[in-house]
Amino acid sequence: MVALMTVVGIVLFVFGLLFSIAWHELGHMSTAKMFGIKCTEFMVGFGKTLWSVRRGETEYGIKAVPLGGFVRMVGMLPPSRQSADGSSRKLSRWRAMAEDAREASYVELSPEDQDRQFYQRAPWKRLIVMFAGPGMNVILAAILLAVLFMGIGVPQSTTQIATVSECVVPAGSSVTDCEDAPPTPAAEAGMLPGDVIVSVGGESTPDWSTANRQIREAMGDTEIVVERDGERLPLNVDIVENELPARDAEGEFVYETDADGEPVYDEQGYRVYETEVVGFLGIVFATERAPLTLAESAAEMGNMMIGVGEALIALPSKVPDVFAAAFLGEQRTQDSPVGIVGISRIGGEIMAQGLPVADTAAIMIQILAGVNLFLFAFNLVPILPLDGGHMAGAIWEWIKRGWAKLFRRPEPAPVDVAMLTPVAYVVVACFLVFSVVLLVADLFNPVRLFG
């Protein structure tokens, strides 16, 4: 059964990724056709075509390597500004690469489509076409997160006791039994799962954060009132000191960092908590899912977007660690980048845990939303062949045209992004190499969410 659920999780995640890619490309194609640009291909994946069908002037299909997708628009690159006198001049290798790319963009251009080329459209229209792809990823992420935050809800701790620990064990201890450890204050006082903490030391506990803070600040004999079966029971509890993971003012865990401010990880690749000596009761609070408001959901999405941006900026610094994990057997940390295989394995791992349906759906939705936010941010990087590279060219041309109009100068020629083709080849080569490294790491040293 575990194996079956793992396969189901992998299939679901692969489908989600392919849909995200197709959704991205739909943004490009729909806006391109809206502006009269001819689109000859709509493909999910690269390499050999596995399946395709032609509808009108566009061929739709799936290719063998699911590392992205593309919409082929005629005239993506402007004509060469080489002299039109028919002279034959030897081209530099750089320009030859640019001219080869330019020629490829006109292969499917027929005489009747001369006025349907991408480069002929106003810069603002080209900007919309290229932004529409990443924009669709943001829309999909927003829909997914709305379902998660406002529908399924997010886990929130309550004042109800879920479990009562048997003995006092310091944070990070390897002790697995209670033979030589003292019983917890909660166990000694007779607290039971299902009890609701009403007050601690005479102060009411309307929510989890208040109850947790008051327990951590209390020491020695303390009266704790619990509600059990509709009755309130005062219990005298001898709260003891214990070393526990540190929390900030909002109740979030505080993690260790090294001298350079970098996260510290344990041998299993998990981040290490800072610890502090605080009051210890020996209970685990119950959680329940509660929907967020629209404003709260938007704030959470904003926080996720910030996190994705930070992860993208930190991506180059992660490359050596991924290489070491792939080929040198180094420990893979939980915040390590993952590829298509890695994210699919995570999907299988989630399904295999046997979690409640709401929890399983919530985790998978959140990860898929994060993938779409990453696709949005990554494609805005202003280098070819990413969407951001074409957007940068359109913006620069828009500025040049505005400048020329302001000073009553002739309209400048289109920005020749074809001259950046060699840069695009380098970017693609780096991306392919990194993808191979990720593939090896994901296959032989994968990131595991559940240990």
Side-chain angles (χ1 to χ4, degrees):
M1 188 64 178
V2 172
L4 175 62
M5 296 308 295
T6 300
V7 172
V8 170
I10 291 174
V11 171
L12 286 175
F13 247 102
V14 169
F15 175 79
L17 290 170
L18 293 178
F19 179 81
S20 299
I21 294 170
W23 183 253
H24 173 106
E25 300 304 334
L26 179 62
H28 290 314
M29 188 181 72
S30 59
T31 50
K33 290 195 172 188
M34 181 177 68
F35 292 132
I37 301 169
K38 183 176 181 179
C39 302
T40 59
E41 286 185 294
F42 178 101
M43 293 290 170
V44 175
F46 301 106
K48 182 179 179 181
T49 301
L50 302 179
W51 170 87
S52 69
V53 61
R54 180 170 292 277
R55 293 288 183 267
E57 63 186 14
T58 307
E59 180 185 8
Y60 302 85
I62 298 175
K63 291 183 174 288
V65 184
L67 292 179
F70 65 91
V71 171
R72 191 179 301 281
M73 294 174 265
V74 297
M76 282 289 292
L77 303 175
S80 174
R81 283 178 281 178
Q82 290 275 60
S83 61
D85 59 5
S87 61
S88 175
R89 290 188 294 177
K90 185 176 180 180
L91 301 177
S92 66
R93 179 170 297 183
W94 184 287
R95 180 169 285 278
M97 295 171 69
E99 294 305 318
D100 288 343
R102 196 189 316 277
E103 183 178 343
S105 73
Y106 290 96
V107 168
E108 297 179 309
L109 180 64
S110 55
E112 62 270 20
D113 297 324
Q114 289 293 330
D115 61 345
R116 300 183 62 194
Q117 301 179 67
F118 176 80
Y119 86 90
Q120 295 172 330
R121 298 302 180 261
W124 66 269
K125 291 183 178 180
R126 281 180 274 153
L127 189 61
I128 289 176
V129 171
M130 299 316 298
F131 181 79
M136 291 291 273
N137 290 123
V138 169
I139 292 173
L140 181 56
I143 293 172
L144 291 171
L145 292 176
V147 171
L148 171 60
F149 294 141
M150 302 175 66
I152 299 175
V154 298
Q156 295 184 351
S157 296
T158 68
T159 56
Q160 185 178 50
I161 298 174
T163 59
V164 177
S165 303
E166 295 182 13
C167 57
V168 179
V169 178
S173 173
S174 59
V175 175
T176 57
D177 59 61
C178 294
E179 183 176 347
D180 298 320
T184 62
E188 280 194 316
M191 289 185 172
L192 300 175
D195 288 350
V196 177
I197 295 181
V198 177
S199 66
V200 176
E203 296 184 33
S204 63
T205 54
D207 51 45
W208 168 82
S209 61
T210 303
N212 185 64
R213 175 180 54 79
Q214 291 177 357
I215 291 170
R216 293 169 75 93
E217 293 176 354
M219 296 290 178
D221 290 334
T222 305
E223 183 183 74
I224 297 180
V225 178
V226 300
E227 184 174 302
R228 181 185 302 168
D229 298 329
E231 296 184 7
R232 294 195 173 188
L233 304 176
L235 302 174
N236 291 321
V237 184
D238 184 15
I239 296 179
V240 299
E241 291 184 347
N242 194 16
E243 185 180 12
L244 299 177
R247 292 180 181 268
D248 59 20
E250 285 73 37
E252 300 295 331
F253 288 116
V254 179
Y255 296 94
E256 284 190 15
T257 56
D258 60 21
D260 298 323
E262 296 297 320
V264 177
Y265 298 91
D266 61 18
E267 295 180 353
Q268 285 73 44
Y270 295 95
R271 291 195 64 178
V272 177
Y273 299 112
E274 288 188 7
T275 60
E276 60 183 353
V277 177
V278 294
F280 177 72
L281 184 57
I283 62 172
V284 175
F285 287 100
T287 61
E288 62 181 13
R289 288 194 170 273
L292 302 182
T293 64
L294 179 60
E296 291 171 335
S297 299
E300 288 295 327
M301 182 174 174
N303 291 334
M304 284 189 65
M305 192 69 249
I306 292 173
V308 167
E310 292 173 346
L312 182 60
I313 293 172
L315 183 60
S317 66
K318 300 286 185 181
V319 174
D321 293 336
V322 176
F323 182 88
F327 300 105
L328 304 179
E330 295 291 331
Q331 180 62 50
R332 193 98 178 263
T333 60
Q334 276 209 315
D335 62 350
S336 172
V338 293
I340 299 292
V341 172
I343 200 73
S344 300
R345 288 189 65 154
I346 288 174
E349 185 181 1
I350 293 169
M351 289 294 294
Q353 296 304 307
L355 301 173
V357 174
D359 292 341
T360 300
I363 296 173
M364 297 189 74
I365 288 173
Q366 186 167 7
I367 293 177
L368 189 58
V371 169
N372 276 273
L373 290 178
F374 181 83
L375 289 175
F376 166 76
F378 181 69
N379 276 283
L380 292 186
V381 176
I383 54 175
L384 291 177
L386 301 177
D387 298 332
H390 292 284
M391 291 170 62
I395 292 172
W396 178 236
E397 184 175 328
W398 200 351
I399 293 174
K400 288 177 62 179
R401 287 189 179 189
W403 187 265
K405 185 176 181 179
L406 179 64
F407 290 95
R408 302 181 183 278
R409 295 176 180 175
E411 184 173 289
V415 172
D416 193 4
V417 293
M419 295 306 297
L420 296 177
T421 299
V423 176
Y425 288 158
V426 172
V427 172
V428 170
C430 292
F431 178 73
L432 290 176
V433 170
F434 186 53
S435 296
V436 171
V437 174
L438 276 179
L439 176 63
V440 174
D442 289 340
L443 286 174
F444 301 105
N445 193 358
V447 172
R448 301 186 186 278
L449 294 185
F450 300 96

